[in-house]
Amino acid sequence: MCSFDAVVPGSFDPATNGHVDIIERAARLFRRVIVAVAANGIKQPLFSPEIRVEMLRDACRHLENVSVASFDGLLVDYARSIGARTIVRGLRAVSDFEYELQMAHTNRCLTDEIETIFVPTRTDYSFLSSSIVKEIARLGGSVEGLVPEGVRRRLGDRHE
Ligand code: PNS
């Protein structure tokens, strides 16, 4: 267990089971994990930052060392303000790598106090994204098993 705190940032519009998997694994590695919801990360979010935070809190209830908050502005500024020394990001496939590496280099260029580490997503979730989940829900499909229960309810999934 690392004695530093870590931040798991994202848009989480909405959180998927892939996100929760990464948060659970970060929680095993770090003393304290702060899930940071970017309030202005995407242009037209389906859910407000407050609802995204609420859904994540519900999905992370079982994790004692995890808290959830939203942030504005630069991620490295937020991480510094809460004393986190590490950014944890999930990697689903090689296609994620370019964007993730660009973000890691950008954050590194902004400060060398904060390190980024990548955690590979479980293969079961390697295809999963918030956009895919929104599309399935929009077109009336079931998102059961893809998202936490609270998210499924918010998406209006009535399949049992
Ligand atoms: O879930 P996402 O949309 O891939 O998360 C991206 C996010 C929110 C982590 C990233 O856009 C971010 O850190 N936004 C905050 C603004 C910032 O710090 N930008 C510079 C680093 S790219």
Side-chain angles (χ1 to χ4, degrees), residues 7-69:
V7 65
V8 180
S11 302
F12 302 110
D13 186 48
T16 67
N17 284 345
H19 290 128
V20 176
D21 172 49
I22 296 296
I23 296 164
E24 285 173 344
R25 285 156 62 196
R28 273 186 240 128
L29 291 172
F30 293 90
R31 183 181 58 179
R32 193 169 70 105
V33 169
I34 301 94
V35 181
V37 176
N40 298 314
I42 39 180
K43 285 207 177 78
Q44 287 186 313
L46 181 61
F47 296 105
S48 70
E50 293 76 21
I51 300 288
R52 283 182 266 155
V53 166
E54 189 185 307
M55 290 190 289
L56 272 162
R57 283 197 180 131
D58 187 48
C60 296
R61 261 187 327 215
H62 58 299
L63 301 167
E64 276 179 15
N65 59 337
V66 172
S67 56
V68 185

Side-chain angles (χ1 to χ4, degrees), residues 8-13 19 36-42 71-77 87 89 92 99-100 102-104 106-107 110 130:
V8 180
S11 302
F12 302 110
D13 186 48
H19 290 128
V37 176
N40 298 314
I42 39 180
F71 75 100
D72 259 324
L74 287 175
L75 173 61
V76 288
D77 288 341
I87 294 168
R89 291 283 291 176
R92 287 167 301 188
Y99 168 61
E100 293 298 335
Q102 184 186 25
M103 263 206 307
T106 306
N107 288 329
L110 293 167
S130 301

Side-chain angles (χ1 to χ4, degrees), residues 6 14 20 26 32 35 56 63-64 67 75 78 82 84 91 98 102 111 115 122-123 127 132-133 142 159:
V20 176
R32 193 169 70 105
V35 181
L56 272 162
L63 301 167
E64 276 179 15
S67 56
L75 173 61
Y78 177 68
I82 56 168
L91 273 184
E98 220 168 308
Q102 184 186 25
T111 176
E115 209 54 77
R122 271 169 52 176
T123 34
F127 67 98
I132 291 272
V133 161
S142 172
H159 297 78

